[in-house]
């Protein structure tokens, strides 16, 4: 007979604490909500506008398979979405040939020094995915800087302030070393250098083996940049996208302070497990509530819809303290 203690141990060892709580109204946006004909909507950047409106810049895939970006606005960040009647940012391959197969997966950073939002997104070129950047004040008109990181590179966000005088961009180039997270610096958002390896994909059987990438832009906390990243596990039935957590030094963001071993969120709900691409949770943005602690994480589910999960920054940091370890991740000899 199983004793109650054994049962408890089993339960504890097979369950992990729900750090990200799914909204009961999920998915909060699907293709059916769109005012024009599309295939699907997923992977949205997020920000709060000055009047408190939540703005999502959604990746919309049309019925050719090419993506563009479209803005949706809501007073409460959950429902009542006002969706632009037409695409907000379309690929412009005549001027920007790197956008020939569409633009995808935007991340939004409000930069107080520029009094503008910086949007970084994937431009899908003949050479593969690259990174493009655009500035906007209102998500109606955009100043495009074009491609800033050549293919194959994606999963990018800008930090909201300069680090020692330089802008800092997190990205995920594919190199002979694998698909790891890197950080690069620039004096002007156009020319990038001082590339540093920031976080490596693990190897072997790990959930985040071989391929990782930044998910939403980093969350600035007094203890460091809190980073949600995705790990991609290749299985015989396809890829599994899950989320992990790490903390980086505020003034030297390539320095990893803590990294959790297990994933903290993965596809479980039906809308995350079944879609155009099964078993994908893919956040590109978050907003912070007035309490300064609750974050609303917007994520693409199975490349078919947008869903919302809430978390507490304090609880995420507590979890990292309990489950994270400090590793020397910088392997300069590999550069
Ligand atoms: C990644 C990106 C995401 C997508 C995911 C699952 O490589 O392209 O846009 O959601 O794959 O298909």
């Amino acid at each position: 007979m199983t004793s109650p203690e054994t049962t408890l141990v089993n339960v504890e060892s097979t369950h992990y604490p729900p750090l990200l709580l799914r909204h009961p109204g999920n998915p909060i946006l699907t293709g059916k909500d769109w005012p024009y004909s599309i295939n699907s909507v997923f992977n949205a950047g997020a920000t709060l506008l000055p009047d408190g409106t939540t703005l999502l810049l959604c990746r919309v895939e049309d019925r050719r398979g090419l993506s563009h970006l479209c803005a949706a606005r809501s007073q409460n960040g959950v429902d009542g979405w006002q969706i632009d009647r037409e695409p907000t940012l379309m690929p412009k391959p005549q001027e920007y040939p790197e956008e020939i197969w569409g633009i995808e997966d935007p991340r939004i950073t409000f930069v107080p020094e520029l009094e503008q939002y910086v949007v970084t997104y994937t431009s899908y070129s003949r050479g593969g995915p690259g990174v493009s950047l655009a500035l906007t004040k209102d998500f109606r008109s955009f100043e495009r800087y074009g491609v800033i990181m050549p293919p194959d590179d994606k999963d990018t966000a800008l930090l909201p302030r300069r680090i020692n005088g330089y802008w800092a961009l997190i990205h995920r180039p594919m190199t002979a070393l694998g698909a790891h997270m890197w950080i690069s610096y620039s004096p002007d958002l156009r020319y990038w250098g001082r590339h540093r390896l920031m976080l490596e994909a693990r190897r072997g059987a790990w959930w985040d083996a071989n391929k990782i990438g930044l998910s939403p832009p980093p969350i600035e906390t007094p203890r460091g940049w809190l980073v949600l990243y995705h790990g991609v596990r290749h299985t015989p039935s396809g890829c599994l996208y899950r989320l992990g957590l790490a903390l980086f030094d505020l003034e030297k963001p390539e320095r990893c302070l803590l990294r959790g071993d297990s994933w903290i969120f993965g596809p479980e709900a039906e809308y995350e497990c079944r879609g155009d691409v099964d078993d994908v949770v893919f956040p590109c943005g978050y907003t912070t509530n007035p309490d300064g602690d609750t974050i609303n994480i917007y994520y693409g589910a199975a490349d078919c819809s947008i869903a919302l999960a809430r978390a507490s920054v304090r609880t995420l940091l507590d979890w990292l303290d309990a489950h994270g370890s400090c590793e020397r991740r910088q392997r300069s000899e590999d550069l």
Side-chain angles (χ1 to χ4, degrees):
M1 229 182 90
T2 319
S3 71
E5 289 79 17
T6 318
T7 311
L8 192 64
V9 168
N10 281 341
V11 167
E12 282 187 340
S13 63
T14 53
H15 286 70
Y16 46 90
L19 295 175
L20 270 65
L21 299 174
R22 290 172 177 83
H23 194 278
N26 276 350
I28 57 163
L29 280 169
T30 72
K32 292 198 186 75
D33 299 310
W34 240 248
Y36 53 94
S37 166
I38 66 171
N39 173 50
S40 55
V41 55
F42 48 113
N43 307 355
T47 195
L48 285 178
L49 299 177
D51 68 355
T53 301
T54 298
L55 179 138
L56 296 184
L57 192 60
C58 309
R59 170 175 173 190
V60 173
E61 190 183 282
D62 66 23
R63 293 174 66 87
R64 299 171 301 167
L66 308 191
S67 293
H68 61 265
L69 309 183
C70 186
R73 295 169 175 82
S74 156
Q75 292 312 308
N76 62 11
V78 176
D79 52 24
W81 295 97
Q82 301 285 319
I83 301 167
D84 281 359
R85 311 297 303 171
E86 292 175 354
T88 310
L89 193 67
M90 277 296 274
K92 262 197 195 171
Q94 305 80 354
E95 269 174 77
Y96 302 95
E98 66 275 7
E99 299 180 359
I100 185 148
W101 288 329
I103 55 178
E104 308 177 348
D105 302 354
R107 272 78 166 185
I108 302 170
T109 303
F110 180 70
V111 180
E113 183 187 324
L114 303 174
E115 296 180 350
Q116 297 207 67
Y117 301 89
V118 172
V119 182
T120 49
Y121 54 93
T122 302
S123 38
Y124 196 174
S125 74
R126 288 187 204 278
V131 175
S132 292
L133 182 147
L135 271 70
T136 183
K137 284 189 194 307
D138 53 9
F139 294 91
R140 299 193 194 281
S141 65
F142 294 82
E143 185 188 351
R144 280 158 123 115
Y145 278 29
V147 72
I148 54 163
M149 292 287 171
D152 184 330
D153 205 332
K154 54 163 51 174
D155 297 329
T156 309
L158 183 77
L159 297 189
R161 59 179 173 81
R162 294 175 193 258
I163 307 288
N164 298 319
Y166 289 87
W167 300 111
L169 185 89
I170 299 171
H171 57 121
R172 203 286 304 281
M174 291 281 250
T175 73
L177 297 179
H180 309 305
M181 282 167 57
W182 289 66
I183 189 163
S184 302
Y185 293 89
S186 168
D188 57 6
L189 297 177
R190 287 187 191 274
Y191 299 97
W192 295 89
R194 237 179 77 218
H195 312 293
R196 296 280 183 274
L197 188 55
M198 189 176 178
L199 192 72
E200 284 180 77
R202 283 181 266 220
R203 299 170 70 175
W206 282 90
W207 71 273
D208 55 355
N210 306 319
K211 193 173 179 182
I212 61 169
L214 179 71
S215 276
I219 301 159
E220 188 166 7
T221 78
R223 295 196 38 205
W225 299 101
L226 184 60
V227 164
L228 279 155
Y229 71 95
H230 55 267
V232 187
R233 176 151 192 185
H234 294 263
T235 79
S237 59
C239 290
L240 260 169
Y241 279 75
R242 302 186 182 113
L243 294 182
L245 208 54
L247 188 69
F248 296 85
D249 190 278
L250 279 180
E251 299 311 321
K252 198 173 183 219
E254 55 266 36
R255 191 164 155 248
C256 182
L257 305 175
L258 287 171
R259 179 184 195 173
D261 277 347
S262 45
W263 71 85
I264 60 161
F265 191 69
E268 286 173 21
E270 177 67 18
Y271 52 88
E272 299 160 354
C273 297
R274 298 280 164 269
D276 276 4
V277 183
D278 294 350
D279 299 318
V280 179
V281 289
F282 202 95
C284 289
Y286 72 93
T287 60
T288 308
N289 283 2
D291 65 11
D293 182 59
T294 308
I295 51 171
N296 307 295
I297 298 167
Y298 294 92
Y299 63 100
D303 284 11
C304 256
S305 63
I306 295 174
L308 168 62
R310 294 217 164 100
S312 147
V313 171
R314 206 175 330 111
T315 309
L316 294 177
L317 288 170
D318 288 348
W319 182 86
L320 262 183
D321 281 332
H323 300 280
S325 56
C326 180
E327 290 177 63
R328 191 82 195 114
R329 299 248 133 234
Q330 187 69 43
R331 299 216 319 230
S332 49
E333 72 273 21
D334 282 348
L335 299 178

